[in-house]
Amino acid sequence: MLSWPAPLLPSVPGRGPALRLHDTARGEVVPTAPDTTARMYVCGITPYDATHLGHAATYLAFDLVNRVWRDLGHAVHYVQNVTDVDDPLFERADRDGEDWIVLGMRETALFREDMTALRVLPPEDYVGAVEAIPQIVAHVEDLQTAGLAYTLEDGTGDVYHDVSQAPGFGSESGYDEETMLRLSAERGGDPDRPGKRNRLDPLLWRGAREGEPSWPGPQGVAGRPGWHVECASIALGTVGMGFDVQAGGSDLVFPHHEFSAVHAEALTGTKPFAQAYVHAAMIGLDGEKMSKSRGNLVFVSRLRGDGVDPMAIRLALLSGHYRTDRAWTGDLLTAAQDRLATWREAVERESGAPAAPLLTTLRERLTDDLDSPGAIAAVDAWAAATLAGDTAPELEEQAPAVVRDAVDALLGIAL
Ligand code: 5CA
Ligand code: ZN
Protein backbone atom coordinates (compact mmCIF):
# COMPACT_ATOMS: atom_id res chain seq x y z
CA MET A 1 0.00 0.00 0.00
CA LEU A 2 0.96 3.59 -0.42
CA SER A 3 2.46 5.05 2.75
CA TRP A 4 2.58 8.83 3.35
CA PRO A 5 5.19 11.54 2.68
CA ALA A 6 8.14 11.82 5.06
CA PRO A 7 8.68 15.09 6.89
CA LEU A 8 12.16 16.62 6.84
CA LEU A 9 14.34 15.15 9.58
CA PRO A 10 17.11 17.56 10.65
CA SER A 11 20.27 16.08 12.12
CA VAL A 12 21.32 17.25 15.54
CA PRO A 13 24.89 17.46 16.84
CA GLY A 14 25.98 14.89 19.44
CA ARG A 15 24.62 11.51 20.42
CA GLY A 16 22.47 10.18 23.29
CA PRO A 17 22.53 6.93 25.30
CA ALA A 18 20.87 3.68 24.10
CA LEU A 19 17.08 3.68 24.03
CA ARG A 20 15.39 1.87 26.91
CA LEU A 21 11.74 0.81 26.66
CA HIS A 22 9.25 -1.03 28.83
CA ASP A 23 8.81 -4.61 27.64
CA THR A 24 5.46 -6.11 28.57
CA ALA A 25 6.83 -9.69 28.44
CA ARG A 26 9.61 -9.01 30.97
CA GLY A 27 7.57 -6.45 32.91
CA GLU A 28 10.46 -3.99 33.10
CA VAL A 29 12.32 -1.27 31.24
CA VAL A 30 15.03 -2.87 29.10
CA PRO A 31 17.65 -1.52 26.70
CA THR A 32 16.89 -1.91 23.00
CA ALA A 33 19.92 -3.26 21.14
CA PRO A 34 19.20 -2.94 17.43
CA ASP A 35 21.64 -3.82 14.65
CA THR A 36 22.56 -1.19 12.09
CA THR A 37 18.92 -1.32 11.03
CA ALA A 38 16.42 -1.23 13.88
CA ARG A 39 13.19 -3.13 13.17
CA MET A 40 9.76 -2.15 14.48
CA TYR A 41 6.24 -3.38 13.73
CA VAL A 42 3.36 -1.21 14.95
CA CYS A 43 -0.18 -2.53 14.66
CA GLY A 44 -2.14 -0.25 12.34
CA ILE A 45 -5.75 0.87 12.13
CA THR A 46 -8.92 -0.95 11.25
CA PRO A 47 -10.19 1.70 8.84
CA TYR A 48 -13.93 1.92 9.47
CA ASP A 49 -13.87 5.38 11.03
CA ALA A 50 -11.56 8.40 11.30
CA THR A 51 -8.36 8.53 13.39
CA HIS A 52 -9.20 9.54 16.94
CA LEU A 53 -6.82 11.02 19.51
CA GLY A 54 -6.24 7.59 21.08
CA HIS A 55 -4.89 6.16 17.82
CA ALA A 56 -2.87 9.32 17.30
CA ALA A 57 -1.29 9.09 20.77
CA THR A 58 -0.20 5.51 20.10
CA TYR A 59 1.39 6.31 16.73
CA LEU A 60 3.06 9.40 18.22
CA ALA A 61 4.62 7.32 21.00
CA PHE A 62 6.19 4.92 18.49
CA ASP A 63 7.18 7.81 16.25
CA LEU A 64 9.41 8.87 19.15
CA VAL A 65 11.03 5.41 19.09
CA ASN A 66 11.69 5.83 15.37
CA ARG A 67 13.14 9.32 15.88
CA VAL A 68 15.34 8.35 18.83
CA TRP A 69 16.78 5.35 16.95
CA ARG A 70 17.52 7.53 13.92
CA ASP A 71 19.15 10.14 16.17
CA LEU A 72 21.35 7.29 17.47
CA GLY A 73 22.48 6.65 13.90
CA HIS A 74 20.38 3.58 13.10
CA ALA A 75 18.45 3.05 9.92
CA VAL A 76 14.90 2.05 10.87
CA HIS A 77 12.75 -0.54 9.14
CA TYR A 78 9.31 0.43 10.33
CA VAL A 79 6.26 -1.61 9.33
CA GLN A 80 2.60 -0.95 9.89
CA ASN A 81 -0.44 -2.96 8.75
CA VAL A 82 -3.97 -1.94 7.85
CA THR A 83 -6.70 -4.37 8.94
CA ASP A 84 -8.68 -3.64 5.80
CA VAL A 85 -10.91 -6.71 6.01
CA ASP A 86 -12.71 -7.39 9.30
CA ASP A 87 -16.19 -7.45 10.86
CA PRO A 88 -16.28 -3.76 11.91
CA LEU A 89 -15.82 -2.68 8.27
CA PHE A 90 -18.76 -4.79 7.10
CA GLU A 91 -20.97 -3.63 9.97
CA ARG A 92 -20.27 0.06 9.35
CA ALA A 93 -20.59 -0.30 5.58
CA ASP A 94 -23.96 -2.08 6.03
CA ARG A 95 -25.19 0.61 8.41
CA ASP A 96 -24.29 3.36 5.96
CA GLY A 97 -25.27 1.52 2.77
CA GLU A 98 -21.71 1.77 1.51
CA ASP A 99 -19.20 -0.60 -0.08
CA TRP A 100 -16.80 -1.85 2.63
CA ILE A 101 -13.84 -1.46 0.24
CA VAL A 102 -14.66 2.18 -0.45
CA LEU A 103 -15.10 2.82 3.30
CA GLY A 104 -11.72 1.27 4.07
CA MET A 105 -9.95 3.17 1.32
CA ARG A 106 -11.44 6.49 2.38
CA GLU A 107 -10.62 6.10 6.08
CA THR A 108 -7.10 4.90 5.26
CA ALA A 109 -6.61 7.98 3.07
CA LEU A 110 -7.78 10.20 5.94
CA PHE A 111 -5.40 8.39 8.31
CA ARG A 112 -2.49 9.14 5.96
CA GLU A 113 -3.46 12.82 5.96
CA ASP A 114 -3.66 12.89 9.76
CA MET A 115 -0.27 11.19 10.12
CA THR A 116 1.26 13.60 7.61
CA ALA A 117 -0.16 16.60 9.46
CA LEU A 118 1.14 15.25 12.78
CA ARG A 119 4.61 14.79 11.23
CA VAL A 120 4.71 11.05 11.96
CA LEU A 121 7.56 9.39 10.06
CA PRO A 122 6.00 7.00 7.52
CA PRO A 123 6.50 3.23 7.63
CA GLU A 124 8.85 1.71 5.06
CA ASP A 125 6.22 -1.00 4.51
CA TYR A 126 2.55 -0.16 4.84
CA VAL A 127 0.71 -3.42 4.22
CA GLY A 128 -3.01 -4.16 3.99
CA ALA A 129 -4.46 -7.47 5.19
CA VAL A 130 -6.07 -8.03 1.79
CA GLU A 131 -2.80 -7.73 -0.08
CA ALA A 132 -1.16 -10.13 2.40
CA ILE A 133 -3.77 -12.89 1.89
CA PRO A 134 -1.64 -15.18 -0.34
CA GLN A 135 1.13 -15.13 2.28
CA ILE A 136 -1.33 -15.70 5.12
CA VAL A 137 -2.88 -18.67 3.29
CA ALA A 138 0.57 -20.24 2.83
CA HIS A 139 1.26 -19.76 6.55
CA VAL A 140 -2.04 -21.34 7.60
CA GLU A 141 -1.27 -24.31 5.33
CA ASP A 142 2.17 -24.64 6.93
CA LEU A 143 0.56 -24.82 10.38
CA GLN A 144 -1.95 -27.40 9.13
CA THR A 145 0.80 -29.51 7.56
CA ALA A 146 2.76 -29.39 10.81
CA GLY A 147 -0.33 -30.63 12.69
CA LEU A 148 -0.52 -27.41 14.71
CA ALA A 149 -3.84 -26.23 13.26
CA TYR A 150 -7.21 -27.94 12.91
CA THR A 151 -10.45 -27.39 11.01
CA LEU A 152 -13.66 -27.26 13.05
CA GLU A 153 -15.99 -30.14 12.24
CA ASP A 154 -19.12 -28.03 11.88
CA GLY A 155 -18.97 -27.49 8.13
CA THR A 156 -17.85 -23.84 8.33
CA GLY A 157 -14.29 -24.53 7.20
CA ASP A 158 -12.96 -22.41 10.10
CA VAL A 159 -9.36 -23.19 11.03
CA TYR A 160 -7.88 -22.72 14.53
CA HIS A 161 -4.38 -22.78 15.97
CA ASP A 162 -3.97 -25.48 18.63
CA VAL A 163 -2.31 -23.44 21.40
CA SER A 164 -1.83 -26.45 23.65
CA GLN A 165 1.07 -27.31 21.31
CA ALA A 166 2.62 -23.84 21.60
CA PRO A 167 5.26 -23.90 24.34
CA GLY A 168 5.67 -20.13 24.52
CA PHE A 169 1.96 -19.42 24.94
CA GLY A 170 1.32 -16.88 27.70
CA SER A 171 4.83 -15.48 27.87
CA GLU A 172 4.04 -12.18 26.18
CA SER A 173 1.11 -11.08 28.37
CA GLY A 174 1.95 -13.17 31.45
CA TYR A 175 -1.80 -13.37 32.19
CA ASP A 176 -3.50 -16.26 34.00
CA GLU A 177 -6.12 -18.35 32.23
CA GLU A 178 -9.10 -16.59 33.80
CA THR A 179 -7.86 -13.20 32.60
CA MET A 180 -7.12 -14.61 29.15
CA LEU A 181 -10.62 -16.06 28.86
CA ARG A 182 -12.21 -12.77 29.88
CA LEU A 183 -10.12 -10.66 27.49
CA SER A 184 -10.53 -13.15 24.67
CA ALA A 185 -14.33 -12.84 24.95
CA GLU A 186 -14.11 -9.03 25.08
CA ARG A 187 -11.66 -8.61 22.21
CA GLY A 188 -12.85 -10.62 19.25
CA GLY A 189 -12.17 -14.18 20.50
CA ASP A 190 -14.76 -16.96 20.82
CA PRO A 191 -13.95 -18.96 23.99
CA ASP A 192 -17.46 -20.42 24.14
CA ARG A 193 -17.60 -21.75 20.60
CA PRO A 194 -18.32 -25.51 20.59
CA GLY A 195 -15.86 -27.90 18.96
CA LYS A 196 -12.63 -26.05 19.76
CA ARG A 197 -9.84 -28.10 21.34
CA ASN A 198 -8.92 -25.33 23.76
CA ARG A 199 -11.28 -22.43 24.55
CA LEU A 200 -8.51 -19.93 23.87
CA ASP A 201 -7.50 -21.31 20.45
CA PRO A 202 -7.42 -18.37 18.00
CA LEU A 203 -9.04 -18.33 14.57
CA LEU A 204 -6.57 -18.57 11.68
CA TRP A 205 -8.98 -18.74 8.77
CA ARG A 206 -12.72 -18.08 8.59
CA GLY A 207 -14.53 -20.14 5.95
CA ALA A 208 -16.68 -18.17 3.49
CA ARG A 209 -20.09 -17.02 4.76
CA GLU A 210 -23.06 -15.76 2.83
CA GLY A 211 -22.76 -12.01 2.26
CA GLU A 212 -19.08 -11.79 3.27
CA PRO A 213 -16.15 -11.38 0.90
CA SER A 214 -13.88 -14.40 0.47
CA TRP A 215 -10.62 -15.40 -1.19
CA PRO A 216 -9.15 -18.75 -2.19
CA GLY A 217 -7.83 -20.24 1.03
CA PRO A 218 -5.79 -23.01 2.65
CA GLN A 219 -6.46 -26.50 1.22
CA GLY A 220 -8.82 -24.84 -1.26
CA VAL A 221 -11.23 -23.60 1.45
CA ALA A 222 -12.42 -20.11 0.50
CA GLY A 223 -12.72 -17.51 3.25
CA ARG A 224 -10.81 -14.70 4.93
CA PRO A 225 -7.93 -14.43 7.40
CA GLY A 226 -8.07 -14.29 11.18
CA TRP A 227 -6.73 -11.15 12.82
CA HIS A 228 -3.62 -12.32 14.68
CA VAL A 229 -2.18 -14.30 11.78
CA GLU A 230 -2.50 -11.17 9.66
CA CYS A 231 0.10 -9.37 11.79
CA ALA A 232 2.28 -12.47 12.21
CA SER A 233 2.43 -12.98 8.43
CA ILE A 234 3.02 -9.32 7.57
CA ALA A 235 5.79 -9.07 10.17
CA LEU A 236 7.45 -12.28 8.93
CA GLY A 237 7.29 -11.00 5.34
CA THR A 238 8.90 -7.65 6.22
CA VAL A 239 10.93 -7.32 9.43
CA GLY A 240 11.31 -11.09 9.98
CA MET A 241 11.73 -12.97 13.28
CA GLY A 242 13.48 -11.48 16.29
CA PHE A 243 12.77 -7.88 15.35
CA ASP A 244 13.35 -5.19 17.95
CA VAL A 245 9.94 -3.83 18.92
CA GLN A 246 6.38 -5.09 18.47
CA ALA A 247 4.09 -2.23 19.38
CA GLY A 248 0.53 -1.06 19.73
CA GLY A 249 -1.95 0.15 22.32
CA SER A 250 -2.33 -1.71 25.62
CA ASP A 251 -5.62 -3.19 24.38
CA LEU A 252 -3.48 -5.39 22.11
CA VAL A 253 -1.43 -7.04 24.91
CA PHE A 254 -3.90 -9.95 24.87
CA PRO A 255 -5.05 -11.69 22.79
CA HIS A 256 -3.57 -9.96 19.74
CA HIS A 257 0.16 -9.75 20.48
CA GLU A 258 0.19 -13.04 22.38
CA PHE A 259 -1.23 -14.92 19.40
CA SER A 260 0.74 -13.06 16.72
CA ALA A 261 3.87 -14.19 18.58
CA VAL A 262 2.57 -17.75 19.05
CA HIS A 263 1.72 -18.06 15.33
CA ALA A 264 5.08 -16.74 14.15
CA GLU A 265 7.07 -18.83 16.63
CA ALA A 266 5.17 -21.97 15.58
CA LEU A 267 5.68 -21.17 11.89
CA THR A 268 9.42 -20.65 12.15
CA GLY A 269 10.24 -22.96 15.04
CA THR A 270 12.32 -20.11 16.48
CA LYS A 271 11.92 -17.58 19.28
CA PRO A 272 11.33 -14.78 20.01
CA PHE A 273 8.94 -13.12 17.59
CA ALA A 274 10.02 -9.73 18.96
CA GLN A 275 12.77 -8.68 21.38
CA ALA A 276 10.36 -6.38 23.20
CA TYR A 277 6.59 -5.85 23.27
CA VAL A 278 5.86 -2.21 23.94
CA HIS A 279 2.40 -0.88 24.70
CA ALA A 280 0.97 2.62 24.81
CA ALA A 281 -1.68 3.36 27.42
CA MET A 282 -5.24 4.33 26.57
CA ILE A 283 -6.51 7.83 25.94
CA GLY A 284 -9.96 8.42 27.36
CA LEU A 285 -12.67 11.01 27.27
CA ASP A 286 -15.13 11.62 30.10
CA GLY A 287 -13.75 8.73 32.14
CA GLU A 288 -13.94 6.07 29.43
CA LYS A 289 -11.46 4.64 26.94
CA MET A 290 -11.85 6.47 23.63
CA SER A 291 -13.12 3.85 21.23
CA LYS A 292 -15.08 3.64 18.04
CA SER A 293 -17.55 1.22 19.59
CA ARG A 294 -18.24 3.59 22.54
CA GLY A 295 -18.60 6.53 20.17
CA ASN A 296 -16.87 8.98 22.55
CA LEU A 297 -14.38 10.15 19.98
CA VAL A 298 -12.40 13.27 19.22
CA PHE A 299 -11.06 13.01 15.69
CA VAL A 300 -7.74 14.43 14.57
CA SER A 301 -9.33 15.47 11.27
CA ARG A 302 -12.15 17.31 13.08
CA LEU A 303 -9.68 19.34 15.12
CA ARG A 304 -7.67 20.06 11.99
CA GLY A 305 -10.86 21.13 10.23
CA ASP A 306 -11.53 23.54 13.11
CA GLY A 307 -8.18 25.15 12.38
CA VAL A 308 -6.23 23.64 15.29
CA ASP A 309 -2.48 23.53 14.59
CA PRO A 310 -1.50 19.82 14.33
CA MET A 311 1.68 20.67 16.23
CA ALA A 312 -0.47 21.68 19.21
CA ILE A 313 -2.32 18.33 19.00
CA ARG A 314 1.03 16.54 18.92
CA LEU A 315 2.38 18.53 21.86
CA ALA A 316 -0.81 17.99 23.87
CA LEU A 317 -0.66 14.21 23.39
CA LEU A 318 3.07 14.03 24.15
CA SER A 319 2.66 16.10 27.33
CA GLY A 320 1.56 12.88 29.08
CA HIS A 321 3.73 9.75 29.41
CA TYR A 322 2.89 7.06 26.87
CA ARG A 323 2.44 4.42 29.59
CA THR A 324 -0.05 6.44 31.64
CA ASP A 325 -3.74 6.10 30.85
CA ARG A 326 -4.93 9.65 30.47
CA ALA A 327 -7.84 11.79 29.39
CA TRP A 328 -8.12 14.21 26.51
CA THR A 329 -9.40 17.60 27.65
CA GLY A 330 -9.84 21.01 26.11
CA ASP A 331 -7.45 22.37 28.76
CA LEU A 332 -4.72 20.03 27.53
CA LEU A 333 -5.02 21.52 24.07
CA THR A 334 -5.09 25.11 25.35
CA ALA A 335 -1.95 24.48 27.42
CA ALA A 336 -0.23 22.99 24.36
CA GLN A 337 -1.20 25.98 22.21
CA ASP A 338 0.28 28.37 24.81
CA ARG A 339 3.43 26.27 25.08
CA LEU A 340 3.85 26.13 21.31
CA ALA A 341 3.53 29.92 21.09
CA THR A 342 6.18 30.34 23.82
CA TRP A 343 8.59 27.90 22.14
CA ARG A 344 8.10 29.63 18.79
CA GLU A 345 8.78 33.02 20.31
CA ALA A 346 11.97 31.68 21.91
CA VAL A 347 13.42 30.11 18.73
CA GLU A 348 12.72 33.37 16.87
CA ARG A 349 15.19 35.20 19.16
CA GLU A 350 18.60 36.07 17.71
CA SER A 351 20.35 34.39 20.62
CA GLY A 352 19.28 31.95 23.28
CA ALA A 353 20.28 30.02 26.39
CA PRO A 354 22.98 27.38 25.62
CA ALA A 355 21.68 24.52 23.48
CA ALA A 356 24.12 21.75 24.46
CA PRO A 357 22.75 21.10 27.98
CA LEU A 358 19.22 21.03 26.57
CA LEU A 359 20.21 18.48 23.90
CA THR A 360 21.75 16.26 26.58
CA THR A 361 18.61 16.42 28.73
CA LEU A 362 16.26 15.90 25.78
CA ARG A 363 18.13 12.73 24.79
CA GLU A 364 18.42 11.51 28.37
CA ARG A 365 14.69 11.91 28.94
CA LEU A 366 13.54 10.36 25.65
CA THR A 367 15.89 7.38 25.82
CA ASP A 368 14.57 6.68 29.34
CA ASP A 369 11.38 4.91 28.22
CA LEU A 370 10.19 7.90 26.18
CA ASP A 371 9.84 10.41 29.00
CA SER A 372 8.22 13.02 26.77
CA PRO A 373 6.87 15.10 29.70
CA GLY A 374 10.45 15.36 31.00
CA ALA A 375 11.72 16.31 27.54
CA ILE A 376 8.99 18.96 27.18
CA ALA A 377 9.82 20.40 30.62
CA ALA A 378 13.45 20.76 29.52
CA VAL A 379 12.41 22.74 26.42
CA ASP A 380 10.13 24.87 28.64
CA ALA A 381 13.10 25.72 30.85
CA TRP A 382 15.27 26.60 27.83
CA ALA A 383 12.52 28.80 26.36
CA ALA A 384 12.00 30.57 29.69
CA ALA A 385 15.74 31.25 30.04
CA THR A 386 15.93 32.47 26.46
CA LEU A 387 12.93 34.75 26.80
CA ALA A 388 14.36 36.11 30.06
CA GLY A 389 16.95 37.67 27.74
CA ASP A 390 19.67 39.59 29.48
CA THR A 391 19.11 37.88 32.79
CA ALA A 392 20.01 34.47 31.34
CA PRO A 393 23.66 33.37 31.53
CA GLU A 394 25.90 33.57 28.40
CA LEU A 395 23.44 33.66 25.49
CA GLU A 396 24.54 31.82 22.35
CA GLU A 397 23.89 32.99 18.83
CA GLN A 398 23.34 29.58 17.23
CA ALA A 399 21.24 28.19 20.10
CA PRO A 400 17.74 29.01 18.76
CA ALA A 401 18.45 27.32 15.40
CA VAL A 402 19.95 24.23 17.07
CA VAL A 403 17.00 23.96 19.46
CA ARG A 404 14.54 24.36 16.60
CA ASP A 405 16.20 21.42 14.82
CA ALA A 406 16.39 19.29 17.98
CA VAL A 407 12.72 19.84 18.86
CA ASP A 408 11.81 18.92 15.29
CA ALA A 409 14.09 15.85 15.01
CA LEU A 410 13.47 14.37 18.47
CA LEU A 411 9.93 15.46 19.35
CA GLY A 412 8.59 15.88 15.81
CA ILE A 413 7.39 19.41 16.57
CA ALA A 414 8.05 21.93 13.80
CA LEU A 415 8.37 25.38 15.37
N1 5CA B 1 -6.05 -3.13 13.33
C1 5CA B 1 -5.87 -3.46 14.71
C2 5CA B 1 -4.43 -3.73 15.06
S1 5CA B 1 -3.72 -4.95 14.03
C3 5CA B 1 -6.43 -2.37 15.62
O1 5CA B 1 -6.36 -2.52 16.82
N2 5CA B 1 -6.95 -1.29 15.01
S2 5CA B 1 -7.62 -0.05 15.80
O2 5CA B 1 -8.02 0.88 14.75
O3 5CA B 1 -8.62 -0.50 16.68
O4 5CA B 1 -6.51 0.60 16.66
C4 5CA B 1 -5.34 1.13 16.07
C5 5CA B 1 -4.26 1.37 17.13
O5 5CA B 1 -4.71 2.36 18.08
C6 5CA B 1 -3.94 0.12 17.96
O6 5CA B 1 -2.54 0.10 18.23
C7 5CA B 1 -4.72 0.32 19.23
O7 5CA B 1 -4.13 -0.35 20.31
C8 5CA B 1 -4.64 1.83 19.40
N3 5CA B 1 -5.76 2.41 20.16
C9 5CA B 1 -7.09 2.17 19.99
N4 5CA B 1 -7.83 2.90 20.88
C10 5CA B 1 -6.94 3.62 21.61
C11 5CA B 1 -7.06 4.57 22.69
N5 5CA B 1 -8.25 4.95 23.19
N6 5CA B 1 -5.93 5.11 23.21
C12 5CA B 1 -4.71 4.76 22.72
N7 5CA B 1 -4.53 3.88 21.71
C13 5CA B 1 -5.63 3.31 21.16
ZN1 ZN C 1 -1.87 -6.12 14.69
Side-chain angles (χ1 to χ4, degrees), residues 368-384:
D368 180 10
D369 198 26
L370 308 179
D371 177 13
S372 58
I376 288 171
V379 182
D380 282 345
W382 178 87

Side-chain angles (χ1 to χ4, degrees), residues 41-44 81 83 227-228 230-232 246-247 252 256-257 260:
Y41 185 101
V42 181
C43 280
N81 68 304
T83 307
W227 174 31
H228 318 305
E230 165 192 338
C231 285
Q246 159 73 317
L252 301 184
H256 187 52
H257 286 169
S260 299

Side-chain angles (χ1 to χ4, degrees), residues 16 26 31 64 69 95 122 147 157 205 364 366:
R26 280 173 280 184
L64 294 183
W69 272 338
R95 190 195 78 177
W205 187 257
E364 258 174 28
L366 289 175

Side-chain angles (χ1 to χ4, degrees), residues 309-321:
D309 185 335
M311 293 298 94
I313 303 173
R314 182 167 179 127
L315 201 44
L317 289 171
L318 292 180
S319 66
H321 191 261

Side-chain angles (χ1 to χ4, degrees), residues 385-396:
T386 296
L387 293 174
D390 296 343
T391 60
E394 8 129 31
L395 295 187
E396 281 176 3

Side-chain angles (χ1 to χ4, degrees), residues 240-282:
M241 280 305 274
F243 61 95
D244 297 286
V245 167
Q246 159 73 317
S250 58
D251 56 342
L252 301 184
V253 171
F254 191 90
H256 187 52
H257 286 169
E258 189 77 63
F259 286 132
S260 299
V262 160
H263 292 328
E265 288 169 4
L267 276 162
T268 58
T270 64
K271 279 164 101 48
F273 180 48
Q275 304 293 339
Y277 299 86
V278 185
H279 293 105
M282 290 292 114

